């Protein structure tokens, strides 16, 4: 078996069929149309069901990989001079339940996210069911003019999250969906309460890192400054080097730091 397939915890057909049968039973459907997504996702097997539901199937191997990722992120936080603030849930069902609750919380405070449906377990697999959102593109595929126009909304939404004692924990451009009615957040991760202040600074650093390649460092910092003061931006600087070593971020950290320092002076 290919090492990447092994590490990703690819779920075998018999277990996926068991999930499909349970979905059909729960939603009283005689037949299901299932479309598997070719997403580069290490933490679940994602699929669209009947163009109504977005479903993540989480295996024990996915849970182990999440634990490894969480440890690595906390080590990165230590390197930034703070205690680790990421948390891992021990079972696939707990991972599914957490994302369901995180999505509910985002919607409860007025932010846009797919409507949560439920989380349940089948044959040791965690199954998360959310509303399927058609007709979207991710922020990283947006043309520059659109990304520039959306940047203030992204930071205002992030500030709304933070003002309500929430943090996203894994903010990347591909975790921001763009639709005609605005932006939607997906894939929020778990952050412990003790590390909430640092998690917010990390969120802000991630948002700056996501936008810098799309609109440039000055425009990204200017948009952030509409929602965050100089102190918050300077706190985010402490995490830019940590974010920069993540393989899923590629941005000019030095340019962002320079713009933040210029703004704060």
């Amino acid at each position: 078996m290919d090492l990447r397939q092994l590490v990703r915890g690819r779920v075998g057909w018999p277990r996926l069929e068991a999930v499909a049968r349970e979905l059909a039973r729960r939603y009283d459907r005689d037949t299901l149309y299932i479309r598997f997504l070719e997403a580069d996702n290490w933490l679940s097997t994602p699929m669209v069901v009947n163009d109504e539901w977005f479903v993540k199937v989480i295996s024990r191997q996915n849970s182990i990989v999440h634990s490894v990722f969480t440890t690595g992120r906390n080590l990165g936080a230590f390197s930034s001079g703070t205690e680790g603030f990421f948390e891992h849930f021990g079972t696939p069902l707990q991972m599914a339940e957490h994302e369901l609750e995180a999505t509910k919380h985002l919607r409860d405070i007025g932010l846009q996210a797919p409507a949560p449906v439920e989380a349940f377990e089948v044959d040791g697999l965690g199954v998360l069911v959310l509303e399927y959102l058609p007709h979207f593109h991710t922020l990283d595929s947006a043309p520059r003019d659109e990304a520039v126009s959306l940047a203030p909304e992204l930071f205002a939404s992030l500030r709304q999250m933070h003002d309500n004692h929430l943090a996203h924990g894994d903010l990347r451009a591909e975790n921001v969906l763009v639709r005609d009615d605005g932006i939607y957040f997906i894939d929020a991760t778990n952050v412990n309460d003790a590390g909430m202040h640092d998690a917010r600074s990390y969120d802000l650093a991630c948002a700056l890192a996501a936008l810098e390649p799309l609109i440039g460092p000055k425009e990204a910092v200017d948009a952030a400054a509409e929602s965050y003061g100089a102190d918050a931006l300077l706190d985010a600087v402490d995490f830019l080097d940590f974010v920069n070593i993540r393989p899923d971020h590629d941005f000019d950290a030095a340019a962002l730091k320079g713009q933040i320092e210029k703004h704060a002076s």
Side-chain angles (χ1 to χ4, degrees), residues 139 144 147-148 151 154-155 173 204-221 240 244 249-257 259:
L139 182 61
R144 186 180 188 279
V148 169
L154 174 63
F155 287 109
L204 183 52
C206 286
L208 289 164
L211 282 169
E212 189 278 330
L214 302 176
I215 65 177
K218 182 179 185 304
E219 292 80 0
V221 172
L240 285 175
N244 203 27
H249 280 284
D250 184 12
F251 67 101
D252 190 337
L256 279 175
K257 291 178 182 178
Q259 287 297 324

Side-chain angles (χ1 to χ4, degrees), residues 32-239:
L32 295 178
Y33 172 67
I34 296 177
R35 173 163 49 92
F36 292 94
L37 302 181
E38 294 297 326
D40 189 20
N41 196 325
W42 296 81
L43 302 179
S44 68
T45 298
M47 56 191 187
V48 176
V49 178
N50 284 18
D51 285 335
E52 294 182 56
W53 305 291
F54 175 68
V55 177
K56 287 185 177 183
V57 179
I58 304 168
S59 69
R60 179 61 181 166
Q61 189 67 28
N62 293 141
S63 177
I64 292 170
V65 171
H66 183 262
S67 178
V68 172
F69 283 2
T70 299
T71 299
R73 288 174 180 174
N74 281 329
L75 287 173
F78 293 144
S79 73
S80 301
T82 67
E83 294 187 8
F85 43 79
F86 297 102
E87 288 190 337
H88 169 67
F89 286 103
T91 70
L93 176 59
Q94 288 172 334
M95 287 178 61
E97 289 174 335
H98 163 71
E99 188 167 342
L100 185 77
E101 289 303 312
T103 305
K104 287 179 180 177
H105 290 159
L106 291 177
R107 290 169 61 91
D108 285 345
I109 65 171
L111 296 179
Q112 297 195 111
V117 180
E118 63 175 330
F120 57 90
E121 186 175 34
V122 177
D123 192 20
L125 299 169
V127 182
L128 170 70
V129 185
L130 304 171
E131 166 195 20
Y132 172 61
L133 297 174
H135 313 306
F136 71 85
H137 59 274
T138 54
L139 182 61
D140 57 326
S141 65
R144 186 180 188 279
D145 288 349
E146 182 181 44
V148 169
S149 68
L150 290 171
E153 181 183 352
L154 174 63
F155 287 109
S157 298
L158 196 63
R159 179 62 188 264
Q160 186 175 342
M161 202 182 301
H162 294 166
D163 285 348
N164 283 275
H165 202 65
L166 297 175
H168 187 283
D170 192 24
L171 191 62
R172 294 172 282 133
E174 55 264 44
N175 283 344
V176 179
L177 308 184
V178 182
R179 303 184 75 208
D180 290 344
D181 57 344
I183 62 175
Y184 285 69
F185 293 93
I186 61 171
D187 288 354
T189 191
N190 193 48
V191 172
N192 64 50
D193 287 340
M196 188 60 69
H197 175 79
D198 291 331
R200 291 168 182 158
S201 298
Y202 175 77
D203 269 355
L204 183 52
C206 286
L208 289 164
L211 282 169
E212 189 278 330
L214 302 176
I215 65 177
K218 182 179 185 304
E219 292 80 0
V221 172
D222 286 347
E226 294 183 26
S227 296
Y228 289 90
D231 288 345
L233 289 170
L234 289 171
D235 287 342
V237 167
D238 294 336
F239 289 95

